[in-house]
Structure formats: C-alpha cells, structure tokens
Amino acid sequence: MNYLQFEKSLKDFPVFSIKDIKKQYPDFDSRRLVEWQQKGYIKKLRREYYCFNESKKDENFLFFAANKIYTPSYVSMESALAFYHFIPEGVFTTTSISTINIARFHTPVGEFSYNHVKSPLFFGYRIFQTNHLGIKIAEPEKVLLDYFYLRKINSPEEIKSLRLNEIQINEMVNFQTLAGYQKIFNSKTLDKRITLLKKMIHA
C-alpha cells in the first residue's frame, strides 16, 4: 500500500487514529506513519491521532479534532460562547468539557483545553452536522451553565467584562430549558451566578 491509496481510503476522516487505520488495514505497519510525517504528508496531534497536512484547519476541523483526541468530550466554554456569538472575540484555544481529567494539549494545529465535570453533568450537548461529520457541542443553555459553573464570575463587573451579546443570548436561550438544566447542577453558587447573569442581560 502506498500513501496515495492510504490517503484516498481515509479522506473522509479529518482526524484519524491508529484504530481507524487498523479497521481498514489490519496488517498496517505503523512505521509508515513516521515516514509520512517526515515527508510532511501527515501531522501527529496526540499519541495515536493524526491528520492530513493538507486538511483545511478551520473551526469545524478544530471542533471535530477536540471531540476525537480526548473522549468523551464536547465543545463548550469559551469556544461554544464564541460559536453562538455570545461573546464578541474569537478564541484561540479550543475549549471542551470532559468527564476525564483536566487536560491541555499543544498540537501542530492549535491548543486544546478540557475542563472536568462529574458524569451527571455531562449532558446538554447536541450533534452539529457539517460536511457529513457530527461535532458534539454544548447547547446554548448548557454552555452558559458550564461557563458560570466552572469560572469564578461573582460580580456585575466580572460579567460586564465578558461583553456578552444580550440580544443574541435572549434570542437563542430557552430559559425554561436553562432552569431545568440548572436544577441538575444542584449548586447554590451557580444559582447565584445565573440570577446575576439574568439581571445583567435583562432576561
């Protein structure tokens, strides 16, 4: 098997693992991966995860990569806030929620950060379909809860500093859904922060 055959067979995988390769080529010699990295055909992202060097490294790619290289996880926090245009600025680190340990990975395509929550709080994400790929990302209601649960935002000044898009939040967030999700957290601190958030954005 040469590289062109390999690339053609995995072209639908923006990020692929050795396990993905073995499903198609059970006798694959992993030394070829080292060779193809040296030739600049592929990049190693983390341990057994790779991508093609010529893949388009846009937001969708980064979100898919975030889901893939550390599982289970879904995109949330600053990345999801920016995705929904709840905050004005772009985000340079792809941020996610996971039930495993807190982690951060520096890769050739960017930084990936993972915040830890307990299993009962790993919910409230949807599958965003793009280019035949499913990307797990927090729902609008859940990203607000994730963010205010994990970040120490306790004053009006700290909320103002986020420069939240009040109109966008009020248009996209179902506050009944948010209230239902909020109960699952069972956190008085979160309740206080969300009450303050609602006052600040006139929800």
Side-chain angles (χ1 to χ4, degrees), residues 123-140:
F123 72 96
Y125 58 88
R126 64 188 182 94
I127 307 298
F128 171 65
Q129 295 289 340
T130 175
N131 297 327
H132 309 293
L133 298 172
I135 296 169
K136 295 190 288 293
I137 185 167
E139 297 169 355

PDB file of all heavy atoms in Angstrom, residues 123-140:
ATOM      1  N   PHE A 123     -23.987  16.387  29.949  1.00  0.00           N
ATOM      2  CA  PHE A 123     -25.227  16.335  29.183  1.00  0.00           C
ATOM      3  C   PHE A 123     -25.422  17.699  28.535  1.00  0.00           C
ATOM      4  O   PHE A 123     -24.610  18.606  28.691  1.00  0.00           O
ATOM      5  CB  PHE A 123     -26.418  15.997  30.100  1.00  0.00           C
ATOM      6  CG  PHE A 123     -26.810  17.130  31.012  1.00  0.00           C
ATOM      7  CD1 PHE A 123     -27.830  18.004  30.657  1.00  0.00           C
ATOM      8  CD2 PHE A 123     -26.140  17.350  32.220  1.00  0.00           C
ATOM      9  CE1 PHE A 123     -28.179  19.067  31.497  1.00  0.00           C
ATOM     10  CE2 PHE A 123     -26.492  18.399  33.058  1.00  0.00           C
ATOM     11  CZ  PHE A 123     -27.510  19.257  32.690  1.00  0.00           C
ATOM     12  N   GLY A 124     -26.528  17.846  27.805  1.00  0.00           N
ATOM     13  CA  GLY A 124     -26.856  19.157  27.251  1.00  0.00           C
ATOM     14  C   GLY A 124     -26.006  19.557  26.066  1.00  0.00           C
ATOM     15  O   GLY A 124     -25.779  20.739  25.838  1.00  0.00           O
ATOM     16  N   TYR A 125     -25.572  18.590  25.283  1.00  0.00           N
ATOM     17  CA  TYR A 125     -24.847  18.912  24.048  1.00  0.00           C
ATOM     18  C   TYR A 125     -25.638  18.367  22.867  1.00  0.00           C
ATOM     19  O   TYR A 125     -26.460  17.463  22.997  1.00  0.00           O
ATOM     20  CB  TYR A 125     -23.425  18.343  24.067  1.00  0.00           C
ATOM     21  CG  TYR A 125     -23.344  16.851  24.260  1.00  0.00           C
ATOM     22  CD1 TYR A 125     -23.405  15.981  23.175  1.00  0.00           C
ATOM     23  CD2 TYR A 125     -23.190  16.295  25.530  1.00  0.00           C
ATOM     24  CE1 TYR A 125     -23.328  14.605  23.351  1.00  0.00           C
ATOM     25  CE2 TYR A 125     -23.115  14.936  25.720  1.00  0.00           C
ATOM     26  CZ  TYR A 125     -23.181  14.096  24.618  1.00  0.00           C
ATOM     27  OH  TYR A 125     -23.119  12.728  24.803  1.00  0.00           O
ATOM     28  N   ARG A 126     -25.385  18.936  21.712  1.00  0.00           N
ATOM     29  CA  ARG A 126     -26.063  18.474  20.506  1.00  0.00           C
ATOM     30  C   ARG A 126     -25.029  18.068  19.474  1.00  0.00           C
ATOM     31  O   ARG A 126     -23.835  18.370  19.630  1.00  0.00           O
ATOM     32  CB  ARG A 126     -26.966  19.572  19.945  1.00  0.00           C
ATOM     33  CG  ARG A 126     -26.230  20.826  19.456  1.00  0.00           C
ATOM     34  CD  ARG A 126     -27.219  21.922  19.102  1.00  0.00           C
ATOM     35  NE  ARG A 126     -26.580  23.126  18.585  1.00  0.00           N
ATOM     36  CZ  ARG A 126     -26.402  23.374  17.283  1.00  0.00           C
ATOM     37  NH1 ARG A 126     -26.780  22.495  16.377  1.00  0.00           N
ATOM     38  NH2 ARG A 126     -25.828  24.504  16.888  1.00  0.00           N
ATOM     39  N   ILE A 127     -25.492  17.381  18.460  1.00  0.00           N
ATOM     40  CA  ILE A 127     -24.598  16.980  17.375  1.00  0.00           C
ATOM     41  C   ILE A 127     -24.784  17.966  16.231  1.00  0.00           C
ATOM     42  O   ILE A 127     -25.849  18.026  15.608  1.00  0.00           O
ATOM     43  CB  ILE A 127     -24.891  15.545  16.902  1.00  0.00           C
ATOM     44  CG1 ILE A 127     -24.882  14.564  18.083  1.00  0.00           C
ATOM     45  CG2 ILE A 127     -23.859  15.137  15.845  1.00  0.00           C
ATOM     46  CD1 ILE A 127     -23.566  14.454  18.806  1.00  0.00           C
ATOM     47  N   PHE A 128     -23.761  18.759  15.984  1.00  0.00           N
ATOM     48  CA  PHE A 128     -23.776  19.730  14.893  1.00  0.00           C
ATOM     49  C   PHE A 128     -23.211  19.057  13.648  1.00  0.00           C
ATOM     50  O   PHE A 128     -22.073  18.592  13.635  1.00  0.00           O
ATOM     51  CB  PHE A 128     -22.940  20.951  15.290  1.00  0.00           C
ATOM     52  CG  PHE A 128     -22.706  21.933  14.185  1.00  0.00           C
ATOM     53  CD1 PHE A 128     -23.761  22.630  13.624  1.00  0.00           C
ATOM     54  CD2 PHE A 128     -21.422  22.170  13.704  1.00  0.00           C
ATOM     55  CE1 PHE A 128     -23.544  23.543  12.601  1.00  0.00           C
ATOM     56  CE2 PHE A 128     -21.195  23.082  12.683  1.00  0.00           C
ATOM     57  CZ  PHE A 128     -22.264  23.768  12.137  1.00  0.00           C
ATOM     58  N   GLN A 129     -24.035  18.962  12.608  1.00  0.00           N
ATOM     59  CA  GLN A 129     -23.630  18.267  11.388  1.00  0.00           C
ATOM     60  C   GLN A 129     -22.998  19.229  10.396  1.00  0.00           C
ATOM     61  O   GLN A 129     -23.572  20.266  10.081  1.00  0.00           O
ATOM     62  CB  GLN A 129     -24.847  17.589  10.735  1.00  0.00           C
ATOM     63  CG  GLN A 129     -25.469  16.477  11.555  1.00  0.00           C
ATOM     64  CD  GLN A 129     -24.592  15.233  11.627  1.00  0.00           C
ATOM     65  OE1 GLN A 129     -23.713  15.027  10.805  1.00  0.00           O
ATOM     66  NE2 GLN A 129     -24.845  14.396  12.626  1.00  0.00           N
ATOM     67  N   THR A 130     -21.816  18.876   9.915  1.00  0.00           N
ATOM     68  CA  THR A 130     -21.145  19.677   8.908  1.00  0.00           C
ATOM     69  C   THR A 130     -20.246  18.783   8.080  1.00  0.00           C
ATOM     70  O   THR A 130     -19.475  17.981   8.620  1.00  0.00           O
ATOM     71  CB  THR A 130     -20.318  20.819   9.543  1.00  0.00           C
ATOM     72  OG1 THR A 130     -19.595  21.510   8.515  1.00  0.00           O
ATOM     73  CG2 THR A 130     -19.339  20.296  10.584  1.00  0.00           C
ATOM     74  N   ASN A 131     -20.385  18.883   6.772  1.00  0.00           N
ATOM     75  CA  ASN A 131     -19.569  18.070   5.855  1.00  0.00           C
ATOM     76  C   ASN A 131     -19.600  16.593   6.227  1.00  0.00           C
ATOM     77  O   ASN A 131     -18.577  15.915   6.267  1.00  0.00           O
ATOM     78  CB  ASN A 131     -18.121  18.577   5.836  1.00  0.00           C
ATOM     79  CG  ASN A 131     -18.011  19.988   5.309  1.00  0.00           C
ATOM     80  OD1 ASN A 131     -18.780  20.399   4.441  1.00  0.00           O
ATOM     81  ND2 ASN A 131     -17.072  20.757   5.850  1.00  0.00           N
ATOM     82  N   HIS A 132     -20.801  16.102   6.516  1.00  0.00           N
ATOM     83  CA  HIS A 132     -21.005  14.680   6.838  1.00  0.00           C
ATOM     84  C   HIS A 132     -20.343  14.272   8.157  1.00  0.00           C
ATOM     85  O   HIS A 132     -20.157  13.092   8.410  1.00  0.00           O
ATOM     86  CB  HIS A 132     -20.505  13.773   5.703  1.00  0.00           C
ATOM     87  CG  HIS A 132     -21.048  14.155   4.362  1.00  0.00           C
ATOM     88  ND1 HIS A 132     -22.395  14.030   4.047  1.00  0.00           N
ATOM     89  CD2 HIS A 132     -20.444  14.665   3.266  1.00  0.00           C
ATOM     90  CE1 HIS A 132     -22.581  14.446   2.802  1.00  0.00           C
ATOM     91  NE2 HIS A 132     -21.425  14.835   2.310  1.00  0.00           N
ATOM     92  N   LEU A 133     -19.972  15.252   8.954  1.00  0.00           N
ATOM     93  CA  LEU A 133     -19.358  14.954  10.249  1.00  0.00           C
ATOM     94  C   LEU A 133     -20.266  15.431  11.368  1.00  0.00           C
ATOM     95  O   LEU A 133     -20.965  16.429  11.230  1.00  0.00           O
ATOM     96  CB  LEU A 133     -17.998  15.652  10.370  1.00  0.00           C
ATOM     97  CG  LEU A 133     -16.927  15.254   9.370  1.00  0.00           C
ATOM     98  CD1 LEU A 133     -15.732  16.186   9.507  1.00  0.00           C
ATOM     99  CD2 LEU A 133     -16.503  13.816   9.580  1.00  0.00           C
ATOM    100  N   GLY A 134     -20.257  14.697  12.469  1.00  0.00           N
ATOM    101  CA  GLY A 134     -21.011  15.116  13.641  1.00  0.00           C
ATOM    102  C   GLY A 134     -20.073  15.674  14.698  1.00  0.00           C
ATOM    103  O   GLY A 134     -19.129  15.002  15.115  1.00  0.00           O
ATOM    104  N   ILE A 135     -20.309  16.916  15.100  1.00  0.00           N
ATOM    105  CA  ILE A 135     -19.485  17.569  16.116  1.00  0.00           C
ATOM    106  C   ILE A 135     -20.330  17.766  17.369  1.00  0.00           C
ATOM    107  O   ILE A 135     -21.411  18.355  17.316  1.00  0.00           O
ATOM    108  CB  ILE A 135     -18.969  18.926  15.613  1.00  0.00           C
ATOM    109  CG1 ILE A 135     -18.049  18.734  14.404  1.00  0.00           C
ATOM    110  CG2 ILE A 135     -18.239  19.672  16.730  1.00  0.00           C
ATOM    111  CD1 ILE A 135     -17.703  20.026  13.692  1.00  0.00           C
ATOM    112  N   LYS A 136     -19.843  17.286  18.498  1.00  0.00           N
ATOM    113  CA  LYS A 136     -20.565  17.452  19.761  1.00  0.00           C
ATOM    114  C   LYS A 136     -20.231  18.819  20.360  1.00  0.00           C
ATOM    115  O   LYS A 136     -19.067  19.116  20.637  1.00  0.00           O
ATOM    116  CB  LYS A 136     -20.196  16.332  20.739  1.00  0.00           C
ATOM    117  CG  LYS A 136     -20.627  14.949  20.280  1.00  0.00           C
ATOM    118  CD  LYS A 136     -20.476  13.907  21.371  1.00  0.00           C
ATOM    119  CE  LYS A 136     -19.024  13.558  21.651  1.00  0.00           C
ATOM    120  NZ  LYS A 136     -18.375  12.868  20.526  1.00  0.00           N
ATOM    121  N   ILE A 137     -21.272  19.640  20.554  1.00  0.00           N
ATOM    122  CA  ILE A 137     -21.089  20.984  21.095  1.00  0.00           C
ATOM    123  C   ILE A 137     -22.225  21.289  22.076  1.00  0.00           C
ATOM    124  O   ILE A 137     -23.363  20.853  21.875  1.00  0.00           O
ATOM    125  CB  ILE A 137     -21.037  22.038  19.965  1.00  0.00           C
ATOM    126  CG1 ILE A 137     -20.717  23.429  20.532  1.00  0.00           C
ATOM    127  CG2 ILE A 137     -22.308  22.050  19.140  1.00  0.00           C
ATOM    128  CD1 ILE A 137     -20.347  24.447  19.463  1.00  0.00           C
ATOM    129  N   ALA A 138     -21.908  22.009  23.125  1.00  0.00           N
ATOM    130  CA  ALA A 138     -22.910  22.354  24.134  1.00  0.00           C
ATOM    131  C   ALA A 138     -24.065  23.128  23.521  1.00  0.00           C
ATOM    132  O   ALA A 138     -23.875  23.963  22.635  1.00  0.00           O
ATOM    133  CB  ALA A 138     -22.269  23.184  25.249  1.00  0.00           C
ATOM    134  N   GLU A 139     -25.273  22.845  23.988  1.00  0.00           N
ATOM    135  CA  GLU A 139     -26.424  23.644  23.603  1.00  0.00           C
ATOM    136  C   GLU A 139     -26.258  25.054  24.193  1.00  0.00           C
ATOM    137  O   GLU A 139     -25.494  25.245  25.149  1.00  0.00           O
ATOM    138  CB  GLU A 139     -27.707  23.000  24.144  1.00  0.00           C
ATOM    139  CG  GLU A 139     -27.985  21.625  23.562  1.00  0.00           C
ATOM    140  CD  GLU A 139     -29.094  20.901  24.304  1.00  0.00           C
ATOM    141  OE1 GLU A 139     -29.577  21.432  25.321  1.00  0.00           O
ATOM    142  OE2 GLU A 139     -29.473  19.800  23.860  1.00  0.00           O
ATOM    143  N   PRO A 140     -26.956  26.051  23.634  1.00  0.00           N
ATOM    144  CA  PRO A 140     -26.810  27.426  24.150  1.00  0.00           C
ATOM    145  C   PRO A 140     -27.042  27.530  25.655  1.00  0.00           C
ATOM    146  O   PRO A 140     -26.310  28.249  26.357  1.00  0.00           O
ATOM    147  CB  PRO A 140     -27.863  28.212  23.365  1.00  0.00           C
ATOM    148  CG  PRO A 140     -28.000  27.449  22.080  1.00  0.00           C
ATOM    149  CD  PRO A 140     -27.843  26.001  22.457  1.00  0.00           C
TER     150      PRO A 140
END
